[in-house]
Short mmCIF file of all heavy atoms in Angstrom, two decimals:
data_model
loop_
_atom_site.label_atom_id
_atom_site.label_comp_id
_atom_site.label_asym_id
_atom_site.label_seq_id
_atom_site.Cartn_x
_atom_site.Cartn_y
_atom_site.Cartn_z
N SER A 129 0.81 -1.16 -0.01
CA SER A 129 -0.02 0.01 -0.01
C SER A 129 0.88 1.28 0.00
O SER A 129 2.00 1.25 0.51
CB SER A 129 -0.89 -0.01 1.22
OG SER A 129 -0.21 0.33 2.39
N PRO A 130 0.38 2.39 -0.57
CA PRO A 130 1.15 3.60 -0.64
C PRO A 130 1.59 4.06 0.83
O PRO A 130 2.69 4.62 0.93
CB PRO A 130 0.25 4.58 -1.30
CG PRO A 130 -0.83 3.77 -1.95
CD PRO A 130 -0.97 2.51 -1.15
N THR A 131 0.70 3.90 1.77
CA THR A 131 1.09 4.45 3.07
C THR A 131 2.28 3.72 3.71
O THR A 131 3.24 4.37 4.16
CB THR A 131 -0.12 4.29 4.10
OG1 THR A 131 -1.23 4.90 3.46
CG2 THR A 131 0.13 4.98 5.35
N SER A 132 2.31 2.38 3.61
CA SER A 132 3.43 1.56 4.18
C SER A 132 4.73 1.90 3.35
O SER A 132 5.82 1.95 3.95
CB SER A 132 3.15 0.08 4.15
OG SER A 132 3.02 -0.41 2.82
N HIS A 133 4.57 2.14 2.04
CA HIS A 133 5.79 2.50 1.23
C HIS A 133 6.38 3.81 1.71
O HIS A 133 7.57 3.90 1.91
CB HIS A 133 5.42 2.52 -0.22
CG HIS A 133 6.55 2.87 -1.14
ND1 HIS A 133 7.64 1.93 -1.32
CD2 HIS A 133 6.82 3.98 -1.86
CE1 HIS A 133 8.44 2.51 -2.13
NE2 HIS A 133 8.06 3.74 -2.48
N ARG A 134 5.47 4.81 1.98
CA ARG A 134 5.91 6.09 2.45
C ARG A 134 6.56 6.05 3.80
O ARG A 134 7.61 6.60 4.05
CB ARG A 134 4.79 7.07 2.45
CG ARG A 134 5.23 8.54 2.74
CD ARG A 134 4.09 9.57 2.55
NE ARG A 134 2.92 9.28 3.18
CZ ARG A 134 1.73 9.10 2.57
NH1 ARG A 134 1.60 9.11 1.27
NH2 ARG A 134 0.62 8.79 3.26
N ARG A 135 6.00 5.17 4.68
CA ARG A 135 6.50 4.99 6.03
C ARG A 135 7.91 4.36 5.96
O ARG A 135 8.79 4.79 6.67
CB ARG A 135 5.54 4.11 6.82
CG ARG A 135 5.83 4.14 8.35
CD ARG A 135 4.86 3.40 9.19
NE ARG A 135 3.53 3.76 8.85
CZ ARG A 135 2.48 2.85 8.65
NH1 ARG A 135 2.80 1.58 8.72
NH2 ARG A 135 1.28 3.26 8.37
N ARG A 136 8.06 3.37 5.04
CA ARG A 136 9.36 2.77 4.85
C ARG A 136 10.41 3.79 4.43
O ARG A 136 11.55 3.84 4.87
CB ARG A 136 9.27 1.59 3.86
CG ARG A 136 10.38 0.63 3.97
CD ARG A 136 10.23 -0.55 3.06
NE ARG A 136 11.26 -0.35 2.04
CZ ARG A 136 11.05 -0.36 0.75
NH1 ARG A 136 9.82 -0.47 0.23
NH2 ARG A 136 11.99 -0.20 -0.13
N LYS A 137 10.02 4.68 3.53
CA LYS A 137 10.92 5.67 3.01
C LYS A 137 11.24 6.69 4.09
O LYS A 137 12.44 7.10 4.21
CB LYS A 137 10.28 6.50 1.86
CG LYS A 137 10.33 5.79 0.52
CD LYS A 137 10.09 6.73 -0.62
CE LYS A 137 10.38 6.06 -1.94
NZ LYS A 137 10.32 6.99 -3.04
N ASP A 138 10.29 7.05 4.96
CA ASP A 138 10.59 7.92 6.11
C ASP A 138 11.61 7.22 7.03
O ASP A 138 12.55 7.91 7.56
CB ASP A 138 9.29 8.27 6.89
CG ASP A 138 8.38 9.17 6.12
OD1 ASP A 138 8.85 9.78 5.12
OD2 ASP A 138 7.23 9.29 6.44
N LEU A 139 11.39 5.94 7.31
CA LEU A 139 12.31 5.26 8.23
C LEU A 139 13.73 5.20 7.61
O LEU A 139 14.70 5.41 8.29
CB LEU A 139 11.87 3.81 8.47
CG LEU A 139 10.76 3.61 9.48
CD1 LEU A 139 10.26 2.23 9.44
CD2 LEU A 139 11.21 3.94 10.82
N GLN A 140 13.78 4.93 6.29
CA GLN A 140 15.13 4.89 5.67
C GLN A 140 15.73 6.36 5.61
O GLN A 140 16.88 6.45 5.72
CB GLN A 140 14.93 4.32 4.25
CG GLN A 140 14.64 2.87 4.24
CD GLN A 140 14.30 2.29 2.83
OE1 GLN A 140 13.67 3.04 2.14
NE2 GLN A 140 14.76 1.15 2.55
N GLY A 141 14.91 7.32 5.48
CA GLY A 141 15.39 8.66 5.49
C GLY A 141 16.05 9.04 6.81
O GLY A 141 17.15 9.62 6.82
N SER A 142 15.38 8.67 7.94
CA SER A 142 15.99 8.95 9.27
C SER A 142 17.19 8.11 9.46
O SER A 142 18.19 8.54 10.04
CB SER A 142 14.93 8.77 10.34
OG SER A 142 14.53 7.50 10.36
N GLN A 143 17.17 6.88 8.99
CA GLN A 143 18.25 5.95 9.07
C GLN A 143 19.51 6.49 8.33
O GLN A 143 20.64 6.53 8.81
CB GLN A 143 17.89 4.63 8.52
CG GLN A 143 19.04 3.57 8.56
CD GLN A 143 18.71 2.30 7.77
OE1 GLN A 143 17.86 2.31 6.91
NE2 GLN A 143 19.39 1.19 8.11
N ILE A 144 19.28 7.07 7.13
CA ILE A 144 20.31 7.54 6.29
C ILE A 144 20.99 8.82 6.99
O ILE A 144 22.16 9.01 6.93
CB ILE A 144 19.91 7.80 4.88
CG1 ILE A 144 21.13 7.74 3.98
CG2 ILE A 144 19.22 9.05 4.63
CD1 ILE A 144 20.77 7.28 2.61
N GLU A 145 20.10 9.62 7.54
CA GLU A 145 20.67 10.82 8.24
C GLU A 145 21.54 10.44 9.41
O GLU A 145 22.61 11.06 9.63
CB GLU A 145 19.52 11.70 8.78
CG GLU A 145 18.74 12.38 7.68
CD GLU A 145 19.63 13.13 6.69
OE1 GLU A 145 20.52 13.86 7.05
OE2 GLU A 145 19.40 12.91 5.44
N ARG A 146 21.15 9.37 10.10
CA ARG A 146 21.98 8.92 11.20
C ARG A 146 23.30 8.28 10.69
O ARG A 146 24.40 8.60 11.27
CB ARG A 146 21.24 7.83 12.02
CG ARG A 146 21.84 7.41 13.25
CD ARG A 146 20.92 6.62 14.22
NE ARG A 146 20.34 5.43 13.56
CZ ARG A 146 19.03 5.31 13.20
NH1 ARG A 146 18.17 6.32 13.48
NH2 ARG A 146 18.63 4.26 12.60
N LEU A 147 23.24 7.52 9.62
CA LEU A 147 24.46 6.98 8.97
C LEU A 147 25.42 8.12 8.51
O LEU A 147 26.62 8.00 8.68
CB LEU A 147 24.13 6.05 7.81
CG LEU A 147 23.47 4.71 8.13
CD1 LEU A 147 23.03 4.00 6.86
CD2 LEU A 147 24.37 3.85 8.96
N LYS A 148 24.88 9.17 7.93
CA LYS A 148 25.67 10.26 7.46
C LYS A 148 26.33 11.01 8.61
O LYS A 148 27.50 11.42 8.44
CB LYS A 148 24.81 11.25 6.65
CG LYS A 148 24.49 10.73 5.18
CD LYS A 148 23.65 11.71 4.42
CE LYS A 148 23.43 11.34 3.05
NZ LYS A 148 22.55 12.23 2.28
N ARG A 149 25.58 11.16 9.71
CA ARG A 149 26.19 11.79 10.85
C ARG A 149 27.29 10.93 11.45
O ARG A 149 28.39 11.41 11.79
CB ARG A 149 25.07 11.98 11.96
CG ARG A 149 25.47 12.91 13.09
CD ARG A 149 24.24 13.32 13.90
NE ARG A 149 23.48 12.20 14.42
CZ ARG A 149 22.19 11.92 14.07
NH1 ARG A 149 21.59 12.72 13.22
NH2 ARG A 149 21.60 10.84 14.57
N ASP A 150 27.10 9.61 11.43
CA ASP A 150 28.12 8.72 11.91
C ASP A 150 29.37 8.78 11.03
O ASP A 150 30.56 8.77 11.48
CB ASP A 150 27.64 7.27 11.92
CG ASP A 150 26.61 6.95 13.04
OD1 ASP A 150 26.51 7.81 13.92
OD2 ASP A 150 26.04 5.92 12.96
N SER A 151 29.17 8.84 9.72
CA SER A 151 30.21 8.93 8.73
C SER A 151 31.04 10.17 8.97
O SER A 151 32.29 10.14 8.94
CB SER A 151 29.65 8.95 7.30
OG SER A 151 30.67 9.14 6.41
N LYS A 152 30.36 11.32 9.15
CA LYS A 152 31.03 12.59 9.38
C LYS A 152 31.88 12.57 10.70
O LYS A 152 33.03 12.99 10.66
CB LYS A 152 30.03 13.70 9.47
CG LYS A 152 30.65 15.10 9.35
CD LYS A 152 29.61 16.20 9.49
CE LYS A 152 28.71 16.29 8.27
NZ LYS A 152 27.80 17.42 8.31
N GLU A 153 31.29 12.01 11.70
CA GLU A 153 32.01 11.85 12.99
C GLU A 153 33.22 10.96 12.88
O GLU A 153 34.32 11.22 13.39
CB GLU A 153 31.11 11.33 14.11
CG GLU A 153 30.13 12.37 14.57
CD GLU A 153 29.04 11.81 15.55
OE1 GLU A 153 29.26 10.62 15.95
OE2 GLU A 153 28.07 12.46 15.82
N LEU A 154 33.09 9.86 12.12
CA LEU A 154 34.21 8.94 11.90
C LEU A 154 35.30 9.55 11.10
O LEU A 154 36.50 9.38 11.43
CB LEU A 154 33.66 7.64 11.21
CG LEU A 154 34.66 6.54 11.00
CD1 LEU A 154 35.27 6.09 12.29
CD2 LEU A 154 33.94 5.33 10.31
N LYS A 155 34.90 10.40 10.11
CA LYS A 155 35.98 11.10 9.35
C LYS A 155 36.83 12.02 10.22
O LYS A 155 38.05 12.07 10.09
CB LYS A 155 35.29 11.87 8.24
CG LYS A 155 36.23 12.47 7.17
CD LYS A 155 35.43 13.19 6.06
CE LYS A 155 36.42 13.56 5.00
NZ LYS A 155 35.67 14.22 3.88
N HIS A 156 36.16 12.74 11.11
CA HIS A 156 36.87 13.64 12.06
C HIS A 156 37.85 12.79 12.97
O HIS A 156 38.94 13.16 13.22
CB HIS A 156 35.88 14.45 12.90
CG HIS A 156 35.19 15.51 12.14
ND1 HIS A 156 35.80 16.54 11.42
CD2 HIS A 156 33.91 15.72 11.92
CE1 HIS A 156 34.89 17.27 10.85
NE2 HIS A 156 33.70 16.84 11.16
N TYR A 157 37.28 11.71 13.45
CA TYR A 157 38.08 10.78 14.34
C TYR A 157 39.29 10.31 13.60
O TYR A 157 40.43 10.20 14.11
CB TYR A 157 37.22 9.67 14.86
CG TYR A 157 37.86 8.82 15.91
CD1 TYR A 157 38.25 9.40 17.09
CD2 TYR A 157 38.17 7.48 15.68
CE1 TYR A 157 38.90 8.56 18.05
CE2 TYR A 157 38.78 6.66 16.57
CZ TYR A 157 39.18 7.24 17.80
OH TYR A 157 39.83 6.51 18.73
N ILE A 158 39.10 9.88 12.36
CA ILE A 158 40.25 9.37 11.52
C ILE A 158 41.33 10.43 11.42
O ILE A 158 42.54 10.18 11.54
CB ILE A 158 39.81 8.93 10.13
CG1 ILE A 158 38.95 7.67 10.27
CG2 ILE A 158 40.93 8.71 9.20
CD1 ILE A 158 38.19 7.23 8.95
N LYS A 159 40.91 11.67 11.14
CA LYS A 159 41.89 12.80 11.04
C LYS A 159 42.62 13.02 12.29
O LYS A 159 43.89 13.20 12.27
CB LYS A 159 41.20 14.09 10.67
CG LYS A 159 40.73 14.17 9.17
CD LYS A 159 40.22 15.56 8.83
CE LYS A 159 39.51 15.63 7.53
NZ LYS A 159 40.39 15.40 6.39
N LYS A 160 41.97 12.87 13.44
CA LYS A 160 42.66 12.97 14.78
C LYS A 160 43.65 11.89 14.89
O LYS A 160 44.82 12.13 15.35
CB LYS A 160 41.61 12.86 15.89
CG LYS A 160 41.20 14.13 16.57
CD LYS A 160 40.41 13.77 17.75
CE LYS A 160 39.38 14.85 18.08
NZ LYS A 160 38.58 14.52 19.22
N GLN A 161 43.33 10.62 14.58
CA GLN A 161 44.18 9.52 14.71
C GLN A 161 45.41 9.62 13.77
O GLN A 161 46.48 9.24 14.09
CB GLN A 161 43.43 8.23 14.53
CG GLN A 161 42.38 7.97 15.60
CD GLN A 161 42.85 8.14 16.98
OE1 GLN A 161 43.86 7.59 17.36
NE2 GLN A 161 42.10 8.95 17.81
N GLU A 162 45.13 10.19 12.60
CA GLU A 162 46.23 10.39 11.64
C GLU A 162 47.27 11.32 12.22
O GLU A 162 48.49 11.10 12.09
CB GLU A 162 45.71 11.04 10.32
CG GLU A 162 45.07 9.98 9.46
CD GLU A 162 44.39 10.60 8.18
OE1 GLU A 162 43.97 11.77 8.23
OE2 GLU A 162 44.35 9.91 7.19
N LYS A 163 46.79 12.40 12.91
CA LYS A 163 47.75 13.39 13.50
C LYS A 163 48.53 12.71 14.65
O LYS A 163 49.73 13.08 14.85
CB LYS A 163 46.94 14.59 14.12
CG LYS A 163 46.51 15.51 13.04
CD LYS A 163 45.67 16.66 13.51
CE LYS A 163 45.12 17.59 12.45
NZ LYS A 163 44.10 18.50 12.83
N LYS A 164 47.88 11.76 15.40
CA LYS A 164 48.61 11.02 16.42
C LYS A 164 49.59 10.02 15.85
O LYS A 164 50.45 9.52 16.58
CB LYS A 164 47.60 10.34 17.32
CG LYS A 164 46.75 11.18 18.22
CD LYS A 164 45.91 10.32 19.10
CE LYS A 164 45.15 11.21 20.09
NZ LYS A 164 44.24 10.39 20.95
N GLY A 165 49.41 9.66 14.57
CA GLY A 165 50.30 8.73 13.89
C GLY A 165 50.01 7.28 14.13
O GLY A 165 50.81 6.43 13.89
N ASP A 166 48.73 7.03 14.46
CA ASP A 166 48.29 5.61 14.76
C ASP A 166 47.84 5.00 13.40
O ASP A 166 46.61 4.88 13.09
CB ASP A 166 47.19 5.56 15.76
CG ASP A 166 46.93 4.15 16.28
OD1 ASP A 166 47.37 3.19 15.60
OD2 ASP A 166 46.33 4.04 17.32
N SER A 167 48.81 4.62 12.56
CA SER A 167 48.46 4.18 11.20
C SER A 167 47.71 2.89 11.18
O SER A 167 46.86 2.68 10.28
CB SER A 167 49.76 4.05 10.32
OG SER A 167 50.64 3.18 10.96
N ASN A 168 47.94 1.97 12.09
CA ASN A 168 47.13 0.76 12.22
C ASN A 168 45.66 0.98 12.45
O ASN A 168 44.81 0.46 11.74
CB ASN A 168 47.73 -0.17 13.30
CG ASN A 168 47.21 -1.60 13.16
OD1 ASN A 168 46.99 -2.15 12.03
ND2 ASN A 168 46.98 -2.24 14.29
N LEU A 169 45.41 1.84 13.40
CA LEU A 169 44.06 2.17 13.67
C LEU A 169 43.36 2.95 12.54
O LEU A 169 42.24 2.72 12.17
CB LEU A 169 43.94 3.02 15.04
CG LEU A 169 42.53 3.48 15.46
CD1 LEU A 169 41.68 2.24 15.69
CD2 LEU A 169 42.58 4.23 16.73
N VAL A 170 44.14 3.86 11.98
CA VAL A 170 43.63 4.62 10.81
C VAL A 170 43.24 3.70 9.69
O VAL A 170 42.16 3.84 9.11
CB VAL A 170 44.68 5.65 10.34
CG1 VAL A 170 44.30 6.28 8.98
CG2 VAL A 170 44.79 6.80 11.33
N TYR A 171 44.06 2.67 9.40
CA TYR A 171 43.77 1.72 8.34
C TYR A 171 42.39 1.04 8.63
O TYR A 171 41.58 0.93 7.74
CB TYR A 171 44.93 0.67 8.30
CG TYR A 171 44.61 -0.43 7.32
CD1 TYR A 171 44.76 -0.19 5.91
CD2 TYR A 171 44.18 -1.61 7.68
CE1 TYR A 171 44.50 -1.19 4.99
CE2 TYR A 171 43.86 -2.70 6.86
CZ TYR A 171 44.03 -2.48 5.45
OH TYR A 171 43.87 -3.46 4.58
N LYS A 172 42.19 0.61 9.88
CA LYS A 172 40.95 -0.09 10.22
C LYS A 172 39.76 0.84 10.16
O LYS A 172 38.65 0.44 9.67
CB LYS A 172 41.08 -0.70 11.61
CG LYS A 172 42.04 -1.78 11.75
CD LYS A 172 42.17 -2.28 13.16
CE LYS A 172 43.18 -3.43 13.33
NZ LYS A 172 43.40 -3.76 14.72
N LEU A 173 39.98 2.11 10.66
CA LEU A 173 38.88 3.04 10.62
C LEU A 173 38.46 3.37 9.19
O LEU A 173 37.32 3.60 8.85
CB LEU A 173 39.29 4.27 11.39
CG LEU A 173 39.45 4.14 12.91
CD1 LEU A 173 40.00 5.39 13.50
CD2 LEU A 173 38.11 3.78 13.60
N ARG A 174 39.50 3.52 8.32
CA ARG A 174 39.19 3.85 6.88
C ARG A 174 38.38 2.76 6.28
O ARG A 174 37.48 3.08 5.51
CB ARG A 174 40.42 4.08 6.09
CG ARG A 174 41.02 5.45 6.31
CD ARG A 174 41.87 5.83 5.10
NE ARG A 174 42.52 7.12 5.33
CZ ARG A 174 43.81 7.36 5.33
NH1 ARG A 174 44.65 6.42 5.19
NH2 ARG A 174 44.22 8.56 5.55
N ALA A 175 38.67 1.54 6.58
CA ALA A 175 37.86 0.42 6.08
C ALA A 175 36.43 0.51 6.53
O ALA A 175 35.45 0.37 5.77
CB ALA A 175 38.52 -0.87 6.46
N LYS A 176 36.29 0.84 7.80
CA LYS A 176 34.95 0.96 8.35
C LYS A 176 34.17 2.14 7.66
O LYS A 176 33.04 2.12 7.40
CB LYS A 176 35.06 1.27 9.82
CG LYS A 176 33.76 1.25 10.65
CD LYS A 176 33.96 1.37 12.09
CE LYS A 176 32.62 1.39 12.88
NZ LYS A 176 32.82 1.33 14.31
N TYR A 177 34.98 3.27 7.50
CA TYR A 177 34.43 4.46 6.83
C TYR A 177 33.94 4.16 5.40
O TYR A 177 32.84 4.57 5.05
CB TYR A 177 35.46 5.52 6.82
CG TYR A 177 35.05 6.85 6.20
CD1 TYR A 177 34.27 7.70 6.87
CD2 TYR A 177 35.56 7.26 4.96
CE1 TYR A 177 33.86 8.94 6.33
CE2 TYR A 177 35.19 8.45 4.33
CZ TYR A 177 34.34 9.32 5.04
OH TYR A 177 33.99 10.46 4.49
N GLU A 178 34.72 3.45 4.69
CA GLU A 178 34.38 3.00 3.27
C GLU A 178 33.07 2.18 3.29
O GLU A 178 32.23 2.29 2.48
CB GLU A 178 35.50 2.27 2.58
CG GLU A 178 36.75 3.12 2.29
CD GLU A 178 36.42 4.39 1.48
OE1 GLU A 178 35.66 4.21 0.53
OE2 GLU A 178 36.93 5.41 1.81
N TYR A 179 33.04 1.20 4.20
CA TYR A 179 31.89 0.32 4.32
C TYR A 179 30.61 1.16 4.66
O TYR A 179 29.58 1.01 4.09
CB TYR A 179 32.07 -0.73 5.43
CG TYR A 179 30.77 -1.54 5.67
CD1 TYR A 179 30.39 -2.50 4.77
CD2 TYR A 179 30.05 -1.25 6.79
CE1 TYR A 179 29.23 -3.21 4.91
CE2 TYR A 179 28.92 -2.05 7.03
CZ TYR A 179 28.53 -3.00 6.11
OH TYR A 179 27.36 -3.72 6.35
N LEU A 180 30.78 2.06 5.65
CA LEU A 180 29.67 2.93 6.02
C LEU A 180 29.12 3.76 4.86
O LEU A 180 27.91 3.79 4.60
CB LEU A 180 30.05 3.84 7.23
CG LEU A 180 29.05 4.71 7.88
CD1 LEU A 180 27.97 3.81 8.51
CD2 LEU A 180 29.76 5.44 9.01
N ASN A 181 30.01 4.29 4.07
CA ASN A 181 29.59 5.13 2.95
C ASN A 181 28.95 4.27 1.84
O ASN A 181 28.04 4.71 1.18
CB ASN A 181 30.80 5.90 2.39
CG ASN A 181 31.07 7.08 3.38
OD1 ASN A 181 30.24 7.64 3.98
ND2 ASN A 181 32.34 7.38 3.52
N SER A 182 29.37 3.03 1.68
CA SER A 182 28.78 2.17 0.72
C SER A 182 27.36 1.79 1.16
O SER A 182 26.43 1.67 0.30
CB SER A 182 29.62 0.88 0.42
OG SER A 182 29.58 0.01 1.52
N ARG A 183 27.13 1.61 2.46
CA ARG A 183 25.79 1.38 2.98
C ARG A 183 24.93 2.54 2.78
O ARG A 183 23.77 2.39 2.37
CB ARG A 183 25.90 1.00 4.47
CG ARG A 183 26.47 -0.38 4.80
CD ARG A 183 25.49 -1.48 4.39
NE ARG A 183 24.23 -1.39 5.03
CZ ARG A 183 23.06 -1.49 4.41
NH1 ARG A 183 22.97 -1.77 3.19
NH2 ARG A 183 21.94 -1.45 5.11
N ILE A 184 25.41 3.74 2.99
CA ILE A 184 24.68 4.95 2.74
C ILE A 184 24.23 5.01 1.33
O ILE A 184 23.03 5.27 0.97
CB ILE A 184 25.51 6.23 3.11
CG1 ILE A 184 25.69 6.29 4.64
CG2 ILE A 184 24.83 7.46 2.60
CD1 ILE A 184 26.69 7.30 5.13
N SER A 185 25.12 4.69 0.37
CA SER A 185 24.74 4.72 -1.03
C SER A 185 23.72 3.69 -1.36
O SER A 185 22.79 3.97 -2.12
CB SER A 185 26.02 4.50 -1.88
OG SER A 185 26.95 5.42 -1.75
N GLU A 186 23.79 2.50 -0.79
CA GLU A 186 22.82 1.43 -1.02
C GLU A 186 21.47 1.92 -0.56
O GLU A 186 20.44 1.69 -1.28
CB GLU A 186 23.22 0.13 -0.28
CG GLU A 186 24.36 -0.56 -0.98
CD GLU A 186 24.80 -1.77 -0.11
OE1 GLU A 186 23.99 -2.32 0.68
OE2 GLU A 186 25.96 -2.17 -0.32
N VAL A 187 21.44 2.47 0.70
CA VAL A 187 20.09 2.91 1.19
C VAL A 187 19.45 4.09 0.33
O VAL A 187 18.35 4.09 0.05
CB VAL A 187 20.22 3.34 2.70
CG1 VAL A 187 18.91 3.88 3.24
CG2 VAL A 187 20.69 2.13 3.54
N GLU A 188 20.38 4.97 -0.06
CA GLU A 188 19.87 6.08 -0.93
C GLU A 188 19.35 5.52 -2.22
O GLU A 188 18.27 6.00 -2.72
CB GLU A 188 21.05 7.06 -1.20
CG GLU A 188 21.29 8.01 -0.03
CD GLU A 188 22.43 9.00 -0.22
OE1 GLU A 188 23.36 8.69 -1.01
OE2 GLU A 188 22.32 10.04 0.26
N LEU A 189 19.96 4.54 -2.83
CA LEU A 189 19.42 3.93 -4.06
C LEU A 189 18.15 3.26 -3.82
O LEU A 189 17.20 3.39 -4.60
CB LEU A 189 20.47 2.92 -4.59
CG LEU A 189 21.60 3.41 -5.37
CD1 LEU A 189 22.64 2.30 -5.73
CD2 LEU A 189 21.18 4.17 -6.62
N ASP A 190 17.98 2.61 -2.68
CA ASP A 190 16.78 1.92 -2.26
C ASP A 190 15.61 2.92 -2.08
O ASP A 190 14.52 2.68 -2.53
CB ASP A 190 16.99 1.07 -1.03
CG ASP A 190 15.86 0.13 -0.70
OD1 ASP A 190 15.34 -0.47 -1.71
OD2 ASP A 190 15.46 -0.05 0.43
N ILE A 191 15.96 4.08 -1.55
CA ILE A 191 14.90 5.06 -1.31
C ILE A 191 14.44 5.66 -2.69
O ILE A 191 13.30 5.97 -2.86
CB ILE A 191 15.49 6.23 -0.42
CG1 ILE A 191 15.64 5.77 0.94
CG2 ILE A 191 14.54 7.46 -0.46
CD1 ILE A 191 16.32 6.74 1.89
N ALA A 192 15.43 5.74 -3.62
CA ALA A 192 15.08 6.34 -4.96
C ALA A 192 14.14 5.50 -5.74
O ALA A 192 13.44 6.02 -6.60
CB ALA A 192 16.38 6.62 -5.76
N ILE A 193 14.14 4.22 -5.51
CA ILE A 193 13.24 3.33 -6.27
C ILE A 193 11.80 3.52 -5.92
O ILE A 193 11.40 3.66 -4.81
CB ILE A 193 13.70 1.84 -6.04
CG1 ILE A 193 15.12 1.66 -6.63
CG2 ILE A 193 12.67 0.85 -6.65
CD1 ILE A 193 15.77 0.32 -6.29
#
């Protein structure tokens, strides 16, 4: 039904905003760790950051359909 579809989009919209906020915070944290010189942690965090952004893209595509 159109109502449940709209509700799903709203849920995904709020989910995506939360993911984007997490992504932005993670990016700042990565920069901090780079300055500290913790390259092992930075490597792991970057992988997490890439995964998070790919999830954001997937959800955005799903919303667009």
Side-chain angles (χ1 to χ4, degrees):
S129 74
T131 307
S132 66
H133 181 69
R134 187 169 52 242
R135 194 175 311 133
R136 202 176 108 236
K137 280 193 169 191
D138 289 345
L139 280 174
Q140 288 172 324
S142 63
Q143 178 188 21
I144 205 152
E145 290 310 313
R146 190 166 54 248
L147 288 173
K148 284 180 177 178
R149 194 167 53 243
D150 289 348
S151 174
K152 195 182 288 188
E153 287 173 10
L154 185 55
K155 189 175 186 179
H156 289 302
Y157 186 64
I158 290 170
K159 285 187 191 296
K160 257 191 212 177
Q161 297 310 310
E162 282 174 331
K163 285 178 185 168
K164 287 184 179 179
D166 192 343
S167 57
N168 191 36
L169 181 59
V170 167
Y171 176 78
K172 291 176 185 175
L173 291 173
R174 277 206 182 120
K176 187 174 183 175
Y177 180 75
E178 293 303 319
Y179 173 74
L180 188 56
N181 287 325
S182 72
R183 286 291 299 135
I184 289 169
S185 296
E186 285 175 26
V187 174
E188 282 180 328
L189 280 174
D190 192 38
I191 290 172
I193 293 171

